[in-house]
Amino acid sequence: MALLEAKHITKQFGGLTAVNDVSLTVEAGSIVSVIGPNGAGKTTFFNVLTGIYKPTKGTIIFDGKDITGLRPDQITALGICRTFQNIRLFNAMTVLENVLVGMHTRLHAGLWQILFGTPSVRAEERASLERARELLRFVNLDHQRNQLARNLPYGDQRRLEIARALASSPKLILLDEPTAGMNPQETAEATNLIRRLRDELGITVVLIEHDMRVVMTISERITVLDYGTKIAEGLPEEIRSNPRVIEAYLGKGAAAHGVERVEG
Amino acid sequence: MATDNRQVDQPASLWTQLRTMAGRGPAPYVLILAYAAIVSALLLVNPTTGLGTDMVVVLFLLLMFVIYRAPTILAFKLTLGTILLAVVMPVFGVLNPFYIDVVTKAGMFAALALGLNVVVGFAGLLDLGYVAFFAVGAYLWGIFSTPQISNIVSGMEPLHGSWFWLFLAIGLAVGAFFGVLLGLPVLRLRGDYLAIVTLGLGEVIRVLATNLDRPINITNGAQGIKDIGRPPLFIEPVFQAFGITISQVQEYRLYFYFLVLLVLALTVFVVHRLNNSRIGRAWTAIREDETAAIAMGIPLVRMKLLAFAVGASFAGTMGVIFSALQTFINPPTFDLLRSIGILSMVILGGMGSIPGTILGAVIVTLLDLQLLPRIASELAALQRRGVPIPAWFDPAQYQRLLFGLLLIIMMIFRPEGLLPEDRRRQELHHDEPEPAPVSKTVKPAAESAQSAEG
């Protein structure tokens, strides 16, 4: 069953077409990658999916509902959450508070309930603290929970972003370059974590990634964008040997001289 | 915790040694009680107006913060605080009316500053027109309790003073309504742009107050509204039971003192509750990174409007109280300088911090109403006695200058404010070693450090 269906998405900024007629279907429970050279429109595509930009054309169906043009918070409430390419944590909040913010759509305490401190609010706060710590344990950050987010090492910040996204109990998580700037060991750990998101939590994963080793090992399907247009889609092996993809990454000459593999 | 060990390793300075000694066992209780007893005795024995009493009043207010920070049990803090504020201060107020007026004003501005702190400190929305909501509340009661109302609704009599109670609540609602109304057009703005537009909107309210005297005379224009109604008194029997006779003026003074104290306490309670909830966390998230906040599912519009509404509602209520206290209001009371004044209280005390904001409000009000004028009058007295002070030198004229200097010095040496919110202190000094991890859910750093040492 398709969890996410983006149909003929076009996003224009004035005269610039950042995303041009891109369609993407993501099956529930799969791990899918979107790759492409810098400036190919991958992040813009993510921003359209999460409601930060409204598509110029096209529709997005998520979990059987048309979510085109909904606000980002409504889309998050329906079950899509994301991380950012250049980490965007709430720096002056603690690790634990960052995760609690991510839970916002799943908490229901209203203004008056909070002011009167009703038992339901207190129970909800206790439960959310418990859940936040559970998520922090999942990404192995529980020992850091009272640190300010800004003081975490880089790799930990990436994992905290994932924990924060998980806090909204998403069905689909969009990861924007989750291993950018990581050393090989950290990359291996991150790859493992992404796999656990699907295997242990049952969350469908779409990731933008530049590290081809990561892409080729964990993706079940790959979509390739170049200049805002989808140039290829398929299984990792197909993408690896697709001449148009090689051309997009390495130039026409490379494709002509029969370079067979795209390596990161 | 590892960070605690680092503190122990450092050679303890004399100050830390003293602090540790004063923070152990019964010592803090004895010290604070002695402090409270001495200050109270000084206030009650010699209630004359003068530089000496000024200093004692400052010590009295400082005592409040010593109690707040002291390593004692909560019940002790609450009991002592209540006795000092509800018994010592009012009795002193009956003996000397000047100071309790200043304290009442300080309380009023503290509540206003706390409201602004919700908008600026928590949600990070720089609002330079905050005094508009204060004006709305003040004019609300000012119009309804004076013959002005008959200009709007023909034949309607001014409301009796007992309506004041209801208008405290109406002021809250109208303040919140105006908060949303002025918040709507600025929703998409951030930072400097937001500040400029709110500044303009604040001025619009003041200009409206000046010009709405025709075609229908609603606000009585630049002349302002006088003879604003006051609530009926009811605490007289309490005094009679103790065999004390006080004048109506004195009674009103105490009445407003307690009312302001009550509203301030309520404000602290509300702001504290909100700050430690999902709403408070959403505000902080918006302040930190708006884009990330919406991506995490925070409804930006609703949360921003809520911040504006909550902040403005306190100002609305305080406006109602202010007009009844002064019995006279006019547009210049609500000018830009007043908004800046309230903002500087928040900045001086520590943005985002509740005790800091109160401290900031108390300091600025004391400086403005008491200390700087006092220095001026003392200098004038010296001058009369022949001390060669140039005649053009009048410190009261230099209030704004001194105040500006104070703020500049603050920004250089302690940009996070006097009693900052823990996380903001770290934000501005993140290159220095941190005292201890902080969180809303763990003990404050000072406490855990003490427990490690003691």
Side-chain angles (χ1 to χ4, degrees):
Chain A
M1 191 197 89
L3 182 65
L4 177 80
E5 262 183 283
K7 294 179 195 159
H8 306 291
I9 299 294
T10 298
K11 175 67 198 174
Q12 288 170 327
F13 297 101
L16 176 85
T17 306
V19 176
N20 188 11
D21 194 31
V22 173
S23 296
L24 175 72
T25 303
V26 180
E27 296 297 319
S30 61
I31 298 179
V32 172
S33 290
V34 177
I35 64 170
N38 288 326
K42 306 180 296 286
T43 298
T44 307
F45 185 58
F46 263 31
N47 284 338
V48 170
L49 291 182
T50 51
I52 290 177
Y53 298 148
K54 300 212 184 325
T56 316
K57 270 183 236 149
T59 48
I60 307 162
I61 310 287
F62 175 70
D63 209 10
K65 284 189 219 51
D66 185 352
I67 61 164
T68 323
L70 290 186
R71 291 197 314 266
D73 56 286
Q74 293 171 319
I75 291 177
T76 306
L78 286 173
I80 302 184
C81 208
R82 68 173 294 177
T83 65
F84 293 89
Q85 185 177 351
N86 24 8
I87 305 173
R88 302 190 83 137
L89 288 167
F90 306 119
N91 277 323
M93 298 177 94
T94 65
V95 167
L96 190 67
E97 285 169 341
N98 266 277
V99 179
L100 288 172
V101 169
M103 243 170 248
H104 191 89
T105 53
R106 302 290 164 233
L107 303 178
H108 304 287
L111 180 65
W112 301 108
Q113 287 166 301
I114 289 168
L115 292 187
F116 290 113
T118 57
S120 68
V121 171
R122 271 176 284 158
E124 190 181 80
E125 280 290 300
R126 264 198 307 278
S128 60
L129 272 178
E130 201 42 55
R131 168 109 178 97
R133 296 207 39 196
E134 209 175 282
L135 289 170
L136 286 174
R137 276 192 290 272
F138 182 79
V139 299
N140 193 22
L141 275 179
D142 192 41
H143 57 290
Q144 300 268 46
R145 64 183 178 279
N146 292 325
Q147 284 290 338
L148 292 187
R150 72 156 72 254
N151 295 338
L152 291 187
Y154 183 79
D156 288 359
Q157 293 197 356
R158 285 263 176 224
R159 289 212 306 282
L160 175 56
E161 258 210 325
I162 291 176
R164 185 181 66 175
L166 289 178
S168 66
S169 312
K171 295 184 185 113
L172 172 69
I173 191 167
L174 307 178
L175 305 174
D176 198 344
E177 299 196 25
T179 69
M182 285 184 169
N183 65 32
Q185 194 208 334
E186 287 170 331
T187 304
E189 283 167 13
T191 314
N192 189 29
L193 177 63
I194 294 166
R195 208 175 265 131
R196 282 173 61 214
L197 292 179
R198 198 263 311 262
D199 296 348
E200 291 176 27
L201 304 178
I203 297 171
T204 309
V205 180
V206 177
L207 65 152
I208 291 175
E209 187 51 73
H210 275 303
D211 188 326
M212 286 304 151
R213 263 178 300 251
V214 175
V215 172
M216 294 300 164
T217 41
I218 63 172
S219 338
E220 279 140 22
R221 286 189 77 78
I222 297 173
T223 296
V224 190
L225 299 187
D226 190 23
Y227 293 111
T229 316
K230 184 163 81 177
I231 56 167
E233 187 173 27
L235 304 170
E237 304 83 70
E238 296 166 9
I239 297 300
R240 207 189 290 263
S241 50
N242 185 315
R244 285 200 65 190
V245 177
I246 297 166
E247 186 190 311
Y249 269 91
L250 300 174
K252 259 201 162 72
H257 286 98
V259 177
E260 278 181 44
R261 296 161 65 87
V262 181
E263 289 286 4
Chain B
M1 281 174 274
T3 37
D4 289 340
N5 296 336
R6 180 164 46 190
Q7 282 200 331
V8 178
D9 291 339
Q10 282 169 356
S13 68
L14 185 65
W15 175 240
T16 15
Q17 281 179 347
L18 278 176
R19 271 187 65 153
T20 335
M21 267 162 58
R24 273 205 198 118
Y29 295 90
V30 176
L31 287 174
I32 288 176
L33 278 178
Y35 183 178
I38 292 170
V39 171
S40 307
L42 282 175
L43 280 183
L44 299 180
V45 168
N46 181 23
T48 51
T49 307
L51 194 58
T53 318
D54 285 355
M55 290 304 142
V56 181
V57 169
V58 170
L59 286 178
F60 180 88
L61 293 171
L62 190 68
L63 173 61
M64 291 295 137
F65 283 88
V66 172
I67 292 174
Y68 166 74
R69 302 285 272 197
T72 57
I73 56 168
L74 188 64
F76 174 77
K77 293 182 184 189
L78 287 179
T79 319
L80 189 58
T82 313
I83 291 172
L84 289 169
L85 285 176
V87 180
V88 176
M89 198 64 211
V91 172
F92 174 61
V94 173
L95 298 172
N96 184 332
F98 174 73
Y99 293 102
I100 199 162
D101 278 352
V102 174
V103 174
T104 307
K105 287 266 165 58
M108 184 176 278
F109 281 116
L112 281 175
L114 281 173
L116 182 60
N117 184 42
V118 170
V119 184
V120 179
F122 293 169
L125 307 163
L126 184 50
D127 183 351
L128 290 183
Y130 183 67
V131 83
F133 311 122
F134 188 50
V136 164
Y139 270 95
L140 179 76
W141 178 240
I143 290 168
F144 274 87
S145 70
T146 59
Q148 286 298 121
I149 186 67
S150 59
N151 298 338
I152 305 164
V153 186
S154 60
M156 186 170 167
E157 291 288 307
L159 292 175
H160 182 252
S162 49
W163 283 84
F164 177 75
W165 297 102
L166 183 64
F167 268 74
L168 287 179
I170 297 179
L172 191 87
V174 171
F177 172 75
F178 270 81
V180 172
L181 198 70
L182 296 194
L184 276 171
V186 299
L187 277 174
R188 300 166 67 88
L189 304 176
R190 302 182 194 187
D192 320 1
Y193 301 97
L194 177 71
I196 296 294
V197 175
T198 51
L199 186 156
L201 289 175
E203 284 295 281
V204 164
I205 297 280
R206 187 182 63 81
V207 172
L208 277 180
T210 318
N211 292 305
L212 276 183
D213 51 349
R214 67 209 128 73
I216 310 168
N217 184 358
I218 298 175
T219 62
N220 206 24
Q223 278 124 39
I225 302 175
K226 61 180 192 318
D227 297 331
I228 294 169
R230 283 184 156 193
L233 290 168
F234 61 91
I235 40 180
E236 219 173 326
V238 182
F239 286 96
Q240 275 164 356
F242 286 101
I244 307 165
T245 41
I246 57 169
S247 69
Q248 211 184 26
V249 179
Q250 280 173 319
E251 208 177 327
Y252 265 121
R253 205 163 268 138
L254 292 184
Y255 176 90
F256 280 109
Y257 168 74
F258 278 111
L259 182 63
V260 165
L261 217 57
L262 194 73
V263 175
L264 176 61
L266 206 68
T267 312
V268 171
F269 177 78
V270 167
V271 171
H272 179 77
R273 271 276 161 88
L274 285 179
N275 193 27
N276 290 294
S277 70
R278 70 191 273 262
I279 294 178
R281 288 193 297 264
W283 284 337
T284 315
I286 291 173
R287 183 184 82 197
E288 289 297 307
D289 188 331
E290 222 175 270
T291 309
I294 43 173
M296 290 308 121
I298 288 167
L300 204 60
V301 171
R302 203 184 312 160
M303 283 300 150
K304 278 188 173 182
L305 288 182
L306 188 63
F308 277 119
V310 168
S313 62
F314 297 129
T317 298
M318 269 303 166
V320 172
I321 298 176
F322 177 77
S323 65
L325 172 70
Q326 301 290 69
T327 68
F328 171 72
I329 49 170
N330 62 349
T333 318
F334 309 103
D335 63 357
L336 173 65
L337 217 54
R338 182 77 63 161
S339 284
I340 304 278
I342 299 168
L343 183 64
S344 61
M345 293 170 187
V346 178
I347 294 170
L348 188 73
M351 263 203 268
S353 148
I354 297 172
T357 304
I358 299 175
L359 180 66
V362 169
I363 289 176
V364 173
T365 317
L366 281 184
L367 278 177
D368 246 18
L369 294 179
Q370 192 186 340
L371 295 178
L372 293 174
R374 172 76 64 227
I375 294 169
S377 66
E378 292 290 324
L379 281 176
L382 282 178
Q383 215 167 22
R384 277 196 298 279
R385 263 184 258 135
V387 181
I389 298 166
W392 51 263
F393 187 78
D394 175 9
Q397 301 276 329
Y398 295 95
Q399 273 190 28
R400 294 282 150 200
L401 178 75
L402 283 176
F403 188 60
L405 278 178
L406 184 73
L407 276 182
I408 291 171
I409 293 168
M410 277 282 307
M411 284 305 107
I412 295 170
F413 293 105
R414 209 177 158 82
E416 70 274 30
L418 293 171
L419 279 178
E421 187 199 23
D422 286 333
R423 60 162 74 96
R424 197 175 287 268
R425 181 173 51 223
Q426 295 205 7
E427 196 177 345
L428 287 163
H429 291 280
H430 56 86
D431 45 341
E432 294 159 24
E434 280 144 38
V438 282
S439 161
K440 282 177 186 172
T441 50
V442 278
K443 288 195 293 180
E447 268 178 52
S448 48
Q450 266 157 10
S451 60
E453 285 165 11

